[in-house]
Amino acid sequence: MTDRWTDLLDCLVLKPVGDQAYEGRSQQLPYHRLYGGQLLAQFVQAACLTAPGKAVKSLHTVFVREGSSEEPVRYTTDCPHQGRSFATVRLEAAQGHRTVAVATASMHTWEDGPDRQTAAPLPDLPGPEHALSLDLLPFQARSHADLDAPAVGPPTLDLWLRTPPVAPELGPALLAYATDLTLIGTALRPVDGLSQRDAGGAFASAVTSHTVWFHRPLRTDDWLLLRQRSPLAAHGRAYGLGDVLSRQGALAAAFTQEALLRFRD
């Protein structure tokens, strides 16, 4: 866990390579495809570097083509609007001359104001006997459901996550990284005899677009609940969404995703 965790943290350190351009190295993964969560996390970091003093309010990403985990990623940015409270940052991620993803980040300076929410009560945190080992995710994870099991279940998932101790300013990037991992598996739960382990065999999948909203400051080194559901899988695509709640019940973030989900004959 420590090696994968250190590897992830190193990827979040972007180095300037030009005017509003940055480069981040790619994770050392056991396969050659670039993980979309890495791009989401690095987009967050690049947006914060482009509009310092503001936090990411939302990140809207379209994945253009498959990237390689054997190459670094170059991020070019521009800021068409920079106000006192809000800013907008456009971002492009490329490897060589190939664009792999584009994004728009909306930035905001945290303000005081009315504070209310509507969210269902939190379930109890599962015990350590419900620990999960998720590929690509060097976090502690617990859930009563197993996305690697081919048993039929509802297209929902309550997934608890916690990172090792980490600087709070890395919370948004680390959360964005985690939100990309399990929505396709959640969409597959009603399909008898299949699980997310069958990717590349019984079905092909790839995330096409992903959005994260950050509602409140958050920390990832305390338990967070990712409450996920997938209301639709049709016409070769799957749609899913989720809420992120702190252990104290505060609604901290939300996310949505559309993905290719193509079953083989």
Side-chain angles (χ1 to χ4, degrees):
M1 178 173 175
T2 301
D3 289 343
R4 286 191 295 145
W5 173 243
T6 301
D7 182 45
L8 173 56
L9 292 183
D10 287 345
C11 291
L12 299 183
V13 180
L14 305 185
K15 62 179 182 180
V17 291
D19 183 27
Q20 293 192 331
Y22 309 93
E23 185 177 273
R25 73 170 188 81
S26 294
Q27 292 177 275
Q28 303 303 297
L29 301 176
Y31 60 96
H32 299 297
R33 196 165 87 176
L34 191 65
Y35 169 51
Q38 174 195 313
L39 292 172
L40 296 174
Q42 290 177 332
F43 273 142
V44 169
Q45 295 297 87
C48 291
L49 290 170
T50 305
K54 295 181 174 65
V56 178
K57 177 176 72 71
S58 62
L59 178 72
H60 312 273
T61 301
V62 175
F63 296 98
V64 177
R65 58 171 56 89
E66 182 178 305
S68 170
S69 63
E70 298 179 351
E71 300 177 45
V73 183
R74 181 185 176 96
Y75 293 88
T76 55
T77 74
D78 77 287
C79 192
H81 170 69
Q82 176 76 271
R84 287 179 298 176
S85 298
F86 288 90
T88 301
V89 180
R90 291 188 295 232
L91 308 104
E92 178 181 347
Q95 291 183 313
H97 298 292
R98 293 166 57 88
T99 298
V100 294
V102 294
T104 301
S106 179
M107 316 293 289
H108 184 218
T109 302
W110 296 112
E111 300 181 25
D112 294 328
D115 191 329
R116 58 153 295 277
Q117 70 175 50
T118 301
L122 263 65
D124 292 334
L125 173 68
E129 68 275 13
H130 295 287
L132 299 179
S133 178
L134 298 172
D135 290 344
L136 309 180
L137 195 64
F139 300 5
Q140 287 183 278
R142 295 182 189 178
S143 178
H144 290 288
D146 183 1
L147 295 182
D148 293 333
V152 171
T156 60
L157 179 70
D158 277 0
L159 177 64
W160 291 86
L161 296 176
R162 182 174 66 177
T163 68
V166 68
E169 57 265 27
L170 293 180
L174 290 168
L175 176 64
Y177 178 92
T179 61
D180 189 49
L181 188 61
T182 51
L183 275 173
I184 294 175
T186 301
L188 284 168
R189 292 196 69 203
V191 183
D192 192 16
L194 288 183
S195 76
Q196 63 182 6
R197 287 286 185 188
D198 296 300
F203 66 90
S205 64
V207 176
T208 55
S209 61
H210 193 100
T211 295
V212 188
W213 292 269
F214 299 94
H215 303 313
R216 290 187 169 110
L218 60 89
R219 297 190 66 100
T220 58
D221 50 10
D222 194 5
W223 287 104
L224 294 171
L225 172 63
L226 276 61
R227 178 177 282 158
Q228 301 179 177
R229 61 188 180 93
S230 174
L232 180 71
H235 303 290
R237 302 195 304 269
Y239 168 68
L241 65 163
D243 289 334
V244 181
L245 297 108
S246 72
R247 195 171 183 183
Q248 293 73 39
L251 182 59
F255 57 101
T256 63
Q257 181 183 93
E258 187 182 64
L260 166 75
L261 183 57
R262 183 179 293 152
F263 294 94
R264 304 193 190 282
D265 293 335

